[in-house]
Amino acid sequence: MNFLKEAYKVQAETIIKNLEKRNMQGFYADNKEEALEKFMTLINEDDVVAWGGSTTVDEIGVKKLLEEKNISVIDRDKAKSSEERVHLMKKALTADVFITSTNAITMDGELMNIDGAGNRLAAYNYGPDSVIVFAGMNKVVPELSAALGRVRSEATVPNAIRVNAQSPCRFTGKCSECTGDNSICCQILITRCSKPQNRIKVILIGESLGF
């Protein structure tokens, strides 16, 4: 028996129940492949799909699947200039479906995210009809106070390296709560419930994904 996997399932059951209390839908997938199968049941063939920056989304392979299924997407990475990239990031807020991950999720079903530009957080709040969150079980924390600590200790530095940010943590390996132009932690969002009901859907995955 894989004791860690069994623990993930027990945790996921509790989280899903608490997500439901917060007007969010929760699902559990044992691995990336099951997560993709569940994802395809949550979208329509004529949906337009967009996303924010997410290592988890990249690791799962959802973008390749959307291409294979000929689903229309808004892909900011295909922009030919910084101006076009910003335009596509704004356009993503009008998509039918926005896919993303979360920096942390509590056992009580709250999501915490920290962002630089804020486009990902904007989609969480308003715009796309459906927000689908892929979250490896490594993102689970007991409570909100632990969520902020997790983001700053485990997510901030690799994210800074990922986007080649010139923030202090990129060079020291430690969050200094910077406030300058190079900060990638400009906004902190706590999602405690979904409005309208079930607009936010969380697919918990029994693997370590993203950071």
Side-chain angles (χ1 to χ4, degrees):
M1 178 182 290
N2 186 323
F3 298 114
L4 182 58
K5 284 278 192 180
E6 291 304 309
Y8 282 162
K9 291 177 183 177
V10 173
Q11 288 180 316
E13 287 178 6
T14 297
I15 295 169
I16 289 169
K17 289 177 183 177
N18 288 326
L19 286 169
E20 290 174 356
K21 294 177 184 178
R22 297 177 179 278
N23 287 339
M24 291 183 268
Q25 285 186 302
F27 309 92
Y28 181 75
D30 196 55
N31 50 50
K32 294 189 287 288
E33 292 74 23
E34 286 186 13
L36 286 176
E37 290 178 9
K38 173 53 66 175
F39 168 71
M40 290 306 299
T41 69
L42 299 176
I43 67 171
N44 301 312
E45 290 183 0
D46 59 349
D47 279 340
V48 176
V49 181
W51 51 79
S54 170
T55 299
T56 298
V57 169
D58 291 340
E59 290 176 341
I60 290 173
V62 64
K63 296 177 185 178
K64 181 180 179 181
L65 179 64
L66 290 169
E67 183 177 356
E68 291 173 352
K69 299 293 185 180
N70 293 315
I71 302 294
S72 296
V73 302
I74 300 171
D75 189 352
R76 65 183 188 175
D77 294 327
K78 292 184 178 180
K80 296 180 176 60
S81 66
S82 57
E83 291 79 12
E84 183 182 3
R85 182 179 176 84
V86 170
H87 171 74
L88 291 174
M89 288 167 68
K90 291 180 179 179
K91 188 177 180 182
L93 301 180
T94 68
D96 300 302
V97 178
F98 190 89
I99 55 177
T100 184
S101 186
T102 186
N103 293 129
I105 179 169
T106 71
M107 288 293 297
D108 200 35
E110 296 160 297
L111 307 171
M112 176 176 282
N113 286 280
I114 295 183
D115 215 348
N119 60 297
R120 183 170 60 99
L121 305 193
Y124 258 101
N125 281 329
Y126 192 79
D129 295 331
S130 178
V131 176
I132 299 176
V133 181
F134 294 97
M137 290 299 291
N138 56 304
K139 303 287 186 74
V140 174
V141 294
E143 55 198 16
L144 279 177
S145 59
L148 184 58
R150 183 197 182 279
V151 176
R152 287 179 168 164
S153 65
E154 299 182 42
T156 300
V157 176
N159 263 321
I161 295 171
R162 177 179 67 87
V163 300
N164 195 29
Q166 300 303 298
S167 53
C169 66
R170 167 73 173 79
F171 304 101
T172 66
K174 180 180 183 295
C175 176
S176 61
E177 298 189 38
C178 66
T179 57
D181 292 341
N182 293 315
S183 175
I184 63 168
C185 300
C186 297
Q187 295 91 18
I188 300 176
L189 175 68
I190 297 170
T191 302
R192 56 182 302 277
C193 58
S194 174
K195 187 181 289 187
Q197 185 175 22
N198 295 336
R199 174 179 175 267
I200 297 175
K201 306 164 186 67
V202 181
I203 303 176
L204 297 164
I205 307 166
E207 297 184 16
S208 180
L209 297 165
F211 33 77

